[in-house]
Amino acid sequence: MEETKKPLLGLSLFELKEVAKQLGMPVFTGGQMVKWLYTQHVKSIDEMTNLSKANRERLKESYTIGCMDPLDSQKSKDGTIKYLFPTDSGKYVETVYIPEKDRATLCVSSQVGCKMNCLFCQTGKQGFEGSLTAKDILNQIYSLPERDKLTNIVFMGQGEPMDNLDNVLRATEILTADYAYAWSPKRITVSSVGVRNKLKRFLDESECHVAISLHSPIPEQRAMIMPAEKGMSITEVINLMHNYDFSHQRRLSFEYIVFGGLNDSMMHAREIVKLLDGLDCRVNLIRFHQIPGVDLHGADEKKMETFRDYLTKHGVFTTIRASRGQDIFAACGLLSTAHKEGKA
C-alpha cells in the first residue's frame, strides 16, 4: 500500500546510493535518482526513464517520490501568494511566496504551530502540533508552482527552526549540496528566537544566514512578550554571536517588530545600539499586524523612521521591512493553520 512506502524526497546522495544497493541496483543508480529528484523534480518514479523498467518497478514496491501539491492558495493584491501544503502527519502548513522586482523569496515553515508562544504571533496561539520532516520542508519548495523563479529562501514561517534543527539542517544540506539544488547558503536565512545549544550547533554546522528575533533589548520586557527569553536570554544570544565572523558573506540580522508605546522609544534605540556594539549585523524593523485578543499596536510610520534613523546614525545599519500579504494573512506573525486543523 502507498502508506507503507518511504519517500525519496529528502534523501541525500549517499542515502539514495544506499537505497540502490539495498534493492540490488548498481550504486550509480542513486546518482541518477538524485538528478531526477532535485534537478528534474519528477512526480513519479516512472518518469525516471534512464532507470531500467525492472529497476523502476523494484523501486516502486518500497518507495514513492513523496511530493504533495498545495491544497489551496490565496493571492494578495501585492502579488504575494500563500500556499497551504499537506504534511505526512496529516496536518497542514502555510508557505508564502513573495515576488519582487529582481528577486523572489519563499518563506517556509518548519513546524505545525510553535512551542515558543510569543505574545504577538498568531502561529504561537495555534500551539504546537508537530515538527516537519525534511521531506515536508523540502516539499514546500519542490511542489511550489513558482519554484524556478526563487532567488531566496527564509525559514521564517510557522515554527522555531532550532526546535526542529535536525530536519532543518538536512533540508538546507540538500538545498546547498552540489549534487542537489546547489544553492549558495547565502541565499538562505534561518530565523530563531534563540534556543540554547541548538543555535550554536546551527552556527557551527551551517553557513546559512541567521536572523535573530529581538523585539526588545531589555531582557525583562522581552521575557514578557517572548517566553523563550527565559530559556536563552538575548544577552546569551549576543555573547554567542560574538564568537562568529559576520564581516564577510555570512550575514547576521535582528528582527524587531515595532510596537507603539512598548518598544519604540529612544531609550529602546539606545539600548539596541549598546547591545549590538561590536557585531557586524543589521536590524530589520517590522510593522506589527494586529492579531485577535492581543492588546498590542503598531507604531506609526514617523516613529519607525525616527527609530531607524537613530540606529543607522549610531552605526547599526537598519531598514524598515516592506509589509507583504497582509490582506491574506500572510504577513509576519499571521501564519496559522489552526482553523484547518480544527476542520481535520
Side-chain angles (χ1 to χ4, degrees), residues 159-174:
E160 163 57 50
M162 300 304 139
D163 195 39
N164 187 20
L165 184 56
D166 286 342
N167 287 308
V168 168
L169 286 173
R170 175 182 278 268
T172 55
E173 177 198 339
I174 289 169

Side-chain angles (χ1 to χ4, degrees), residues 187-203:
R187 295 170 63 185
I188 302 169
T189 300
V190 180
S191 70
S192 180
V193 298
V195 178
R196 188 178 282 116
N197 299 325
K198 299 291 186 68
L199 182 56
K200 182 181 188 305
R201 193 180 142 210
F202 169 76
L203 291 164

Side-chain angles (χ1 to χ4, degrees), residues 215-227 229-230 233-235 262 267-268 271:
H215 309 315
S216 177
I218 301 164
E220 297 79 11
Q221 187 180 60
R222 189 172 186 262
M224 286 172 52
I225 59 174
M226 299 176 66
E229 167 72 18
K230 298 163 190 169
S233 71
I234 192 60
T235 306
L262 181 70
M267 181 270 289
H268 287 89
E271 289 299 317

Side-chain angles (χ1 to χ4, degrees), residues 2 26 67 102 146 165 280:
E2 193 74 18
C67 59
D102 55 350
E146 296 83 5
L165 184 56
D280 285 289

Side-chain angles (χ1 to χ4, degrees), residues 67-313:
C67 59
M68 295 187 284
D69 288 335
L71 299 174
D72 191 19
S73 66
Q74 292 176 275
K75 188 169 184 177
S76 166
K77 58 189 178 185
D78 64 23
T80 299
I81 306 174
K82 182 172 70 171
Y83 288 101
L84 181 72
F85 279 100
T87 71
D88 272 349
S89 64
K91 305 286 186 181
Y92 310 91
V93 287
E94 293 185 327
T95 307
V96 182
Y97 172 73
I98 308 165
E100 297 172 79
K101 287 181 183 176
D102 55 350
R103 55 191 278 152
T105 301
L106 189 69
C107 181
V108 302
S109 294
S110 56
Q111 296 181 313
V112 180
C114 185
K115 293 178 187 175
M116 300 303 135
N117 198 26
C118 296
L119 178 63
F120 47 82
C121 181
Q122 189 70 41
T123 307
K125 306 300 174 217
Q126 179 176 343
F128 176 69
E129 300 188 40
S131 287
L132 300 188
T133 62
K135 191 224 82 166
D136 284 330
I137 294 172
L138 288 169
N139 184 61
Q140 297 169 69
I141 300 149
Y142 195 96
S143 299
L144 185 80
E146 296 83 5
R147 178 190 61 235
D148 295 336
K149 298 177 181 177
L150 291 179
T151 62
N152 298 83
I153 291 172
V154 294
F155 282 75
M156 295 182 182
Q158 292 174 265
E160 163 57 50
M162 300 304 139
D163 195 39
N164 187 20
L165 184 56
D166 286 342
N167 287 308
V168 168
L169 286 173
R170 175 182 278 268
T172 55
E173 177 198 339
I174 289 169
L175 287 168
T176 57
D178 289 342
Y179 63 76
Y181 285 85
W183 275 42
S184 164
K186 311 308 178 289
R187 295 170 63 185
I188 302 169
T189 300
V190 180
S191 70
S192 180
V193 298
V195 178
R196 188 178 282 116
N197 299 325
K198 299 291 186 68
L199 182 56
K200 182 181 188 305
R201 193 180 142 210
F202 169 76
L203 291 164
D204 290 339
E205 297 182 24
S206 170
E207 295 179 7
C208 296
H209 296 321
V210 61
I212 299 297
S213 298
L214 175 57
H215 309 315
S216 177
I218 301 164
E220 297 79 11
Q221 187 180 60
R222 189 172 186 262
M224 286 172 52
I225 59 174
M226 299 176 66
E229 167 72 18
K230 298 163 190 169
M232 185 179 188
S233 71
I234 192 60
T235 306
E236 289 179 87
V237 172
I238 298 299
N239 289 342
L240 177 64
M241 294 301 157
H242 278 289
N243 297 323
Y244 296 85
D245 183 5
F246 296 102
S247 63
H248 298 293
Q249 289 190 324
R250 192 179 199 185
R251 190 169 66 229
L252 168 63
S253 57
F254 290 88
E255 309 295 296
Y256 196 90
I257 298 176
V258 190
F259 304 105
L262 181 70
N263 66 350
D264 62 344
S265 72
M266 283 301 100
M267 181 270 289
H268 287 89
R270 288 192 295 271
E271 289 299 317
I272 290 174
V273 172
K274 285 197 284 187
L275 184 68
L276 304 185
D277 183 46
L279 278 179
D280 285 289
C281 65
R282 64 176 62 192
V283 171
N284 295 317
L285 302 181
I286 302 168
R287 293 169 180 84
F288 173 61
H289 304 288
Q290 197 74 40
I291 63 173
V294 175
D295 189 23
L296 291 173
H297 307 278
D300 64 53
E301 196 70 22
K302 180 65 178 169
K303 203 74 176 278
M304 290 186 71
E305 290 172 359
T306 302
F307 203 90
R308 175 200 61 196
D309 294 346
Y310 180 90
L311 293 179
T312 299
K313 182 180 176 182

